[in-house]
Amino acid sequence: MTDAPGIVVTGASGRMGQMLIETINASDRANLVGAIERPGHGWIGKDLGEMMGGMSSGVIVTDDALEAFAKAQAVVDFTSPAASVDFAALAAQARCVHVIGTTGFAESDLKKIGAAARHATVIRAGNMSLGVNLLVQLTKKAAAALDDDYDIEVIEAHHNQKVDAPSGTALMLGQAAADGRNISLENAADRARDGITGARERGQIGFHAVRGGDIVGEHDVLFAAPGERIVLRHVASDRAVFARGAVKAALWGQGRRPGEYDMLDVLGLKEN
């Protein structure tokens, strides 16, 4: 394990944080070297393993991200847009790979992450699973093959604690559909149908968000035309699929040139 890249996990106490920690600890290709929590959190200064209900791990939870990043080769980050933007600047200073699974960024946030990527490798994706990234490619191909007689609707469902909508994955799928049709998603997206909306406009890409219970993540892309419907679907039943993808990205990023990458790069699915 001494030759394995050292990885820091941000938001260590959260559901994804703990899943990432378990995934790294189970891997023979990665080494957990740090855990970050926000200032004032109850885990700060305490042993991570003990806080997770297990044996002492020797990893002490800290709120000093730069110090932790300086000792690591990669950071895996599923937190909040504001926190991820701050972490991007610090990861760039430390010259370590920054894997970002956070969603809900504003355009101004993405510009700051882009600036950080001039100095470090940044891998950002709305979804880290292999299946979803295959679905993105299938959506693009289907949209390119089917004309405007086929209305496109993206339907997503998540747990009741998710704070952004549509999900980052839904937006990835919508963008793939727009790319397939060579149109602007910003101009084609319809996210807020309510009341007397009138007939659906030809060429729109609709978005619908369901929130309830402990749904991990479900995404459907519907192509509906007179007489037939095509549905492309992905269902995640275990957050481990996202954690495994994120760790794969952290390992893939080792030795890469600075810049912005996504999971299509990591999985070798990006079209030239």
Side-chain angles (χ1 to χ4, degrees):
M1 290 295 292
T2 56
D3 295 330
I7 299 179
V8 172
V9 173
T10 65
S13 71
R15 284 182 292 187
M16 270 308 302
Q18 294 192 51
M19 180 63 70
L20 286 162
I21 290 162
E22 292 172 0
T23 301
I24 295 167
N25 284 337
S27 172
D28 59 2
R29 300 179 59 207
N31 186 25
L32 183 71
V33 297
I36 307 297
E37 261 303 341
R38 62 187 182 277
H41 192 278
W43 286 24
I44 299 296
K46 298 179 180 178
D47 186 273
L48 176 64
E50 294 175 4
M51 290 298 96
M52 291 180 60
M55 297 178 61
S56 177
S57 66
V59 174
I60 304 301
V61 182
T62 180
D63 58 5
D64 190 338
L66 183 56
E67 181 181 10
F69 294 178
K71 301 173 183 177
Q73 284 71 56
V75 179
V76 183
D77 174 22
F78 285 69
T79 52
S80 69
S84 291
V85 168
D86 290 342
F87 290 141
L90 297 175
Q93 283 185 249
R95 299 296 191 267
C96 59
V97 175
H98 188 191
V99 178
I100 305 174
T102 307
T103 59
F105 290 107
E107 191 61 34
S108 58
D109 297 327
L110 297 179
K111 289 180 179 178
K112 293 175 183 176
I113 291 172
R118 292 198 290 267
H119 307 285
T121 301
V122 176
I123 304 166
R124 185 180 66 85
N127 194 297
M128 297 284 176
S129 85
L130 171 61
V132 160
N133 283 279
L134 286 171
L135 179 61
V136 168
Q137 292 297 80
L138 292 171
T139 297
K140 182 177 179 180
K141 291 181 182 296
L146 302 171
D147 63 21
D148 282 357
D149 286 341
Y150 288 80
D151 298 324
I152 303 175
E153 299 284 310
V154 181
I155 306 102
E156 55 100 343
H158 285 87
H159 55 87
N160 58 20
Q161 299 301 302
K162 186 168 178 61
V163 298
D164 59 309
S167 69
T169 303
L171 294 173
M172 285 172 59
L173 294 167
Q175 186 63 59
D179 290 346
R181 289 196 169 167
N182 197 27
I183 60 175
S184 164
L185 179 61
E186 182 178 355
N187 294 333
D190 185 356
R191 303 189 190 184
R193 294 183 191 136
D194 185 40
I196 307 301
T197 61
R200 186 188 197 280
E201 291 184 22
R202 187 179 179 90
Q204 284 185 333
I205 298 175
F207 290 88
H208 311 274
V210 177
R211 297 288 177 266
D214 60 355
I215 301 170
V216 173
E218 300 178 4
H219 294 85
D220 293 276
V221 184
L222 168 68
F223 295 85
E228 66 176 351
R229 294 188 298 276
I230 301 167
V231 181
L232 303 178
R233 182 163 220 233
H234 179 269
V235 176
S237 57
D238 187 344
R239 286 182 180 81
V241 299
F242 311 129
R244 288 194 294 268
V247 174
K248 182 181 181 72
L251 297 174
W252 178 89
Q254 300 303 309
R256 302 284 169 179
R257 297 180 63 180
E260 291 188 82
Y261 302 88
D262 60 25
M263 284 301 290
L264 296 180
D265 293 305
V266 174
L267 299 170
L269 296 174
K270 183 157 283 185
E271 298 175 348
N272 296 323

